[in-house]
Amino acid sequence: MHPVDESRPIGRILLFGIQHVLVMAATPISAIFLMSATLRLDASLTVDLLSAAFLLSGVGSLIQSLGPWKFGPRLPFVMLPGGAPLILFLAIAEQHGLPTASGAVIITAAFYFVVLPVFSRLLRFFPALVIGTMIVIVGVNLVKVGALLVTGRPGQPGFADTTNLLLGLATIGFTIAFYWLFTGVLRQLAVMLGLIAGTALAFALGSVDAGRAAEGGLLSVPQFLPFGSPEFNLLAALPLMLYSLASMAEATGQTVINAEAVGKDIDKRADVPKTIRGDALTSLFGGFFGLPLMVTSGENIGIVRVTGVRSRYVTAAAGVVLIAIGFLAPVTRAISVVPSAVVGGTAMVVFAVITVLGIQMLGRADVDQHTNTFICAVAIALGLLPILIPGVYGGFAPGLRILLESGVAVGAFVAAVLNILFHHVRPRLTRKPAPADAGAPAPTPHS
């Protein structure tokens, strides 16, 4: 039996599973707080969404780890709400409303299943150059959104409040300190420990309303269709559908890396589609609970490498723990009272890592070649334009505006188109045709 398929004593599996939960927990917390702060959701709805995020993360982890039927590669994966899809979800919600944003998630989840059979043909148009460029834009956008949780929006009351700035910067400082002091697994928990330390400081400064954590009952059930019936708008969902192509490429890389981490030989043509189907199915469920697209977590692959614990039943146990957290109302309420400035400080660190991952991917894309440098530069410039200058496309028609204002979608589209033009079309146009008599035998001289 391969180590990835080995079971262990329940106590040890549960302990290792909790470790995986601690590593990834900051991401769903940050994602829901970003949703709540950006869309100005009330406290009860925030708690419901947080409960749903933990529940669906657990369900997705079970699907990917246990691999029922053709869903999940049976590798130690943990799932969580995605960073880039979250930004697209927020953009759609702000332009068209929350019901349309939920509908876009459901449409995109279905789109996964439709496009999966031809995915291998499309993958060559999304090399590391395109995906790396897109991830850099995603990371910059996410850092900006996380920073707004600390500072507030310019022009609004409380902007750049000194207490919030102190909490955000202190949280980052705590994270740095823990990462410097610790090694191994504790170092990997530095982000979560920084969040806890920042919350403790906020409590000492009187910035935490702890009374809300004691309100209500013991159990809670995530609300089905929290934003009402979904509204399906293909044009509004287009940026998310475009991102899903890159997401499938990312899932390909994560499946291969995960298999290497556990030392298991896989058939990419068979196992990668299982990972993508698991993402799609979990996202489909999540859409009905008001969540953005769900993706597999790269952080947990690092835990597998550090600990050497390769069993997929460990991440399945993490899935059970996540589901339990989703139903435990006091836990989700306690998490919901964490000040947004503290979450913003944590989010800035976590999401800046995405930018670094994009830069690392670009490092493998031969950006020292002038053509690739040009493609990357143009795509980043156009992708960052609506992020750095909000409202720049305000004079355009609403349907076109939602596409142009999605810097992630614009950057990915521009990078993909330029990659095709320079690396596929141009070589064919500039290729010199072979002479008609090339390779023909020399004529025999007449005697």
Side-chain angles (χ1 to χ4, degrees):
M1 182 181 296
H2 193 278
V4 77
D5 297 315
E6 288 181 353
S7 183
R8 291 172 177 248
I10 296 296
R12 294 187 65 186
I13 286 181
L14 186 61
L15 183 62
F16 286 131
I18 292 173
Q19 178 175 257
H20 277 276
V21 171
L22 290 175
V23 170
M24 59 77 67
T27 301
I29 294 171
S30 301
I32 299 306
F33 271 74
L34 284 171
M35 284 183 61
S36 179
T38 304
L39 302 176
R40 298 174 179 82
L41 306 179
D42 60 47
S44 61
L45 184 55
T46 301
V47 171
D48 282 338
L49 291 174
L50 190 58
S51 176
F54 280 114
L55 174 62
L56 268 297
S57 294
V59 170
S61 301
L62 287 172
I63 291 174
Q64 299 288 23
S65 301
L66 300 181
W69 196 47
K70 296 183 178 181
F71 296 89
R74 297 188 177 183
L75 290 171
F77 270 127
V78 174
M79 293 197 67
L80 39 73
L86 171 62
I87 297 302
L88 295 175
F89 179 93
L90 295 177
I92 296 170
E94 290 182 321
Q95 290 287 328
H96 296 272
L98 283 164
T100 302
S102 293
V105 173
I106 296 170
I107 291 173
T108 304
F111 179 70
Y112 273 109
F113 292 108
V114 173
V115 79
L116 185 56
V118 296
F119 168 66
S120 58
R121 298 179 182 178
L122 296 173
L123 185 59
R124 66 193 182 100
F125 298 119
F126 287 86
L129 176 66
V130 176
I131 298 175
T133 301
M134 181 191 65
I135 292 176
V136 168
I137 297 172
V138 167
V140 173
N141 197 12
L142 286 171
V143 170
K144 176 185 175 182
V145 175
L148 289 175
L149 286 178
V150 177
T151 64
R153 294 185 179 273
Q156 294 186 356
F159 172 68
D161 178 78
T162 53
T163 300
N164 289 335
L165 286 173
L166 171 64
L167 289 175
L169 294 175
T171 301
I172 296 175
F174 287 136
T175 303
I176 295 171
F178 290 130
Y179 197 85
W180 181 73
L181 287 170
F182 297 137
T183 59
V185 176
L186 284 177
R187 169 175 277 193
Q188 291 195 322
L189 297 177
V191 172
M192 196 68 189
L193 294 174
L195 177 70
I196 295 171
T199 305
L201 176 60
F203 185 82
L205 295 175
S207 299
V208 176
D209 182 12
R212 285 190 297 162
E215 298 174 355
L218 180 63
L219 298 176
S220 67
V221 178
Q223 186 178 347
F224 186 71
L225 299 178
F227 309 130
S229 299
E231 296 179 4
F232 301 104
N233 184 327
L234 280 175
L235 185 61
L238 193 57
L240 206 54
M241 295 167 67
L242 178 62
Y243 169 81
S244 70
L245 298 176
S247 176
M248 286 189 283
E250 185 178 354
T252 302
Q254 285 202 341
T255 304
V256 173
I257 292 173
N258 199 334
E260 290 177 355
V262 299
K264 183 177 182 180
D265 294 328
I266 62 170
D267 180 358
K268 286 192 288 186
R269 291 187 177 182
D271 291 309
V272 168
K274 292 179 181 179
T275 302
I276 295 172
R277 290 191 198 101
D279 287 353
L281 184 62
T282 308
S283 296
L284 185 64
F285 291 150
F288 288 101
F289 287 93
L291 299 177
L293 288 179
M294 305 288 292
V295 297
T296 49
S297 167
E299 291 91 338
N300 295 87
I301 300 175
I303 284 290
V304 172
R305 286 179 170 178
V306 170
T307 63
V309 180
R310 296 181 280 177
S311 173
R312 59 191 173 94
Y313 294 104
V314 169
T315 48
V320 174
V321 172
L322 288 166
I323 292 173
I325 292 174
F327 284 114
L328 289 175
V331 176
T332 52
R333 285 197 300 269
I335 293 173
S336 71
V337 303
V338 178
S340 60
V342 173
V343 177
T346 301
M348 289 173 65
V349 175
V350 171
F351 294 145
V353 173
I354 296 176
T355 307
V356 177
L357 293 176
I359 294 172
Q360 290 176 341
M361 187 170 290
L362 288 175
R364 300 192 297 268
D366 295 328
V367 287
D368 54 337
Q369 295 183 8
H370 295 303
T371 300
N372 288 346
T373 301
F374 179 79
I375 292 172
C376 181
V378 173
I380 288 178
L382 294 178
L384 291 181
L385 179 60
I387 297 171
L388 300 177
I389 308 177
V392 65
Y393 297 116
F396 287 75
L400 181 61
R401 188 170 68 242
I402 190 171
L403 291 176
L404 295 175
E405 289 184 347
S406 171
V408 177
V410 169
F413 178 77
V414 171
V417 170
L418 292 181
N419 178 69
I420 292 171
L421 289 176
F422 281 97
H423 292 305
H424 295 271
V425 176
R426 191 171 185 272
R428 293 182 181 180
L429 295 177
T430 58
R431 187 180 300 151
K432 295 181 178 180
D437 58 345
T444 304
H446 296 285
S447 57

